[in-house]
Amino acid sequence: MENQIKTIIKAFFPEEKIDGISLLNGRLVVTLKGSEQDSVPPQLKEQLSALDGIKKVSIVFTAKKKPQGLNPQQDEKWVVPGVKKIIAVASGKGGVGKSTTAVNLALALSALGQKTALFDADIYGPSIPTMLGYEGVGALSYDGKTFEPFEYLGIKSMSIGTLIQKDVPLIWRGAKACGAIQQLLTDVNWGEIDIMVIDMPPGTGDIQITLSQKLNLDGSVIVSTPQDIALIDAVKGVNMFRRVHIPILGIVENMSYYICPNCGTRADIFGHAGAQAAAAELGVPFLGEIPLHIDIRTTSDQGTPIVYSAPQSPHSQAYKEIAAKVIAELK
């Protein structure tokens, strides 16, 4: 289908103007490089609409505006010394198990021989200290300028959750939150790291956009559950990263199914394979599915995530298979 769409577009615009193609549930969005003043021949929409399965066609432009009166330092990239690859684990909405996935993915990468770090960018709801077992332990700095990363369960990590009280909410606007993230990310003695996993906040707000623009991200992993409402937001996450030219490493379907421990019956509580279908329609890899299981939840709450505490379990193997695909996508 994508080749057909490209063939039609190339009849009206040169291929280098095609910035992105997104098709989901019959809705086609074509992103072209240029300005909104560029004319779109009506025949283009007519021909695209005539394709089987397409119900609505939208064509948008991504014009690059020159900065006016901005401080050049605002456009400088953040540097994270010693870190070779950085990937973001994101979701379009909360409640889909993004942080649990990020933690177990980081541990799985470590188990596969990668020197791994995990950064908690979920600044309003930091959960990494709890999941890695160092909740209540304060951050350490020897020189008063740089932090030492936490080294728990075989990976290095940092979270603002170590600097604030657990029950005190952060009431910060985007600029202050982004400034705190920059310091916690760049003023840390990470050492030599092969892959850093960033647990992004849910949604597509200021922090997500800032991290996508300020960091040289090597890719993003989108976490969703199978139901339609979660997939709609997951698609937004994919499109956000595409707009800022961050590679999509793939989609993970979390809470994919439930196996009754007594009778072995499988129940697709939230539906099934929705994320896989969305990945196919969006033209991005499907990384795998993680079941809904109490052990995944309890081990994370106890500070010993499933990949660490039960490395031979089928759930841990599922995370490791996803990690192996991520490594392959990064090469």
Side-chain angles (χ1 to χ4, degrees), residues 154-223:
I155 63 176
K156 295 182 178 181
S157 64
M158 178 56 69
S159 170
I160 199 169
T162 65
L163 302 175
I164 60 173
Q165 296 181 22
K166 183 178 179 180
D167 57 350
V168 176
L170 282 182
I171 308 175
W172 288 355
R173 294 188 183 274
K176 187 173 182 179
C178 291
I181 285 179
Q182 180 183 7
Q183 182 179 7
L184 285 172
L185 183 59
T186 61
D187 293 346
V188 174
N189 298 318
W190 292 108
E192 294 299 317
I193 298 295
D194 295 320
I195 301 176
M196 172 179 280
V197 177
I198 295 186
D199 180 22
M200 300 281 273
T204 55
D206 285 348
I207 294 174
Q208 296 88 328
I209 295 170
T210 298
L211 284 168
S212 299
Q213 293 175 334
K214 291 293 188 180
L215 284 176
N216 288 316
L217 290 175
D218 295 280
S220 59
V221 173
I222 308 298
V223 181

Side-chain angles (χ1 to χ4, degrees), residues 39-106:
S39 60
V40 178
Q43 297 89 339
L44 175 56
K45 279 193 173 184
E46 291 173 6
Q47 293 182 26
L48 292 173
S49 299
L51 293 174
D52 290 339
I54 294 183
K55 302 173 184 177
K56 183 178 179 180
V57 176
S58 298
I59 298 177
V60 296
F61 291 90
T62 56
K64 292 186 177 180
K65 299 180 180 180
K66 294 182 179 180
Q68 297 179 351
L70 295 179
N71 185 338
Q73 292 183 348
Q74 291 179 341
D75 297 323
E76 292 179 358
K77 292 283 188 177
W78 295 349
V79 177
V80 188
V83 178
K84 297 176 183 176
K85 300 281 187 180
I86 304 177
I87 65 173
V89 175
S91 63
K93 68 189 300 294
V96 298
K98 169 187 56 62
S99 293
T100 302
T101 301
V103 170
N104 280 292
L105 174 60

Side-chain angles (χ1 to χ4, degrees), residues 84-85 104-117 153-155 192-196 307 319-321 323-325 327 330-331:
K84 297 176 183 176
K85 300 281 187 180
N104 280 292
L105 174 60
L107 291 169
L109 289 168
S110 177
L112 294 178
Q114 302 293 310
K115 295 178 182 178
T116 309
L153 311 189
I155 63 176
E192 294 299 317
I193 298 295
D194 295 320
I195 301 176
M196 172 179 280
V307 171
Y319 283 115
K320 290 177 183 177
E321 289 173 8
K325 292 178 181 178
I327 294 171
L330 287 172
K331 290 182 178 179

Side-chain angles (χ1 to χ4, degrees), residues 19 29-30 38 66 102 109 134 162 173-174 200 203 208 215 224 274 292 304 320 322:
D19 197 37
V29 178
V30 176
D38 290 349
K66 294 182 179 180
L109 289 168
Y134 59 87
T162 65
R173 294 188 183 274
M200 300 281 273
Q208 296 88 328
L215 284 176
S224 180
L292 177 66
T304 54
K320 290 177 183 177
I322 290 171

